[in-house]
Amino acid sequence: MHRPPATFQVDGTAIRARRKELGLTRDHCATQAGISGPYLSQLENGARRDMRPPTYQRLRAALAVPADDERLLAPRLEPPREESDARHSGAQQEEAR
């Protein structure tokens, strides 16, 4: 069974842009999403970034963003690459000789 993440990291700039694109005031959008105006303001300003799945779904619905559209989510960071030890193992082998 697929479980949603505990929280979604959102992009406040994208939320604000979409809200303005639709011509919604902050308070009207917040009411439609079932959240407070100050909470939406904190999301848009980047003071808060984490949203629980039900709240994120309501905000997405208020902003008419389809479920498979990730434009409101913060960009994912690439996981750090693991460097190959091959470069270092040769030096260690020479030192061991």
Side-chain angles (χ1 to χ4, degrees), residues 83-95:
E83 291 187 32
S84 170
D85 289 337
R87 182 173 49 148
H88 300 292
S89 63
Q92 291 171 348
Q93 288 176 355
E94 286 181 25
E95 290 174 10

Side-chain angles (χ1 to χ4, degrees), residues 1-78:
M1 183 169 143
H2 174 66
R3 297 180 71 191
T7 60
F8 287 95
Q9 290 227 322
V10 296
D11 180 351
T13 304
I15 292 170
R16 182 183 302 113
R18 179 64 179 157
R19 177 178 61 77
K20 288 186 173 197
E21 192 177 289
L22 295 173
L24 299 173
T25 66
R26 187 176 291 144
D27 287 336
H28 185 75
C29 180
T31 299
Q32 285 187 328
I35 59 177
S36 71
Y39 178 58
L40 180 56
S41 177
Q42 291 173 348
L43 290 169
E44 289 186 352
N45 292 316
R48 296 184 75 166
R49 295 188 55 180
D50 295 330
M51 295 186 79
R52 293 191 175 271
T55 309
Y56 174 69
Q57 290 170 357
R58 289 193 315 267
L59 178 62
R60 220 182 45 231
L63 295 173
V65 174
D68 61 345
D69 188 330
E70 296 185 351
R71 76 177 105 171
L72 302 181
L73 296 177
R76 294 182 187 160
L77 298 176
E78 295 281 331

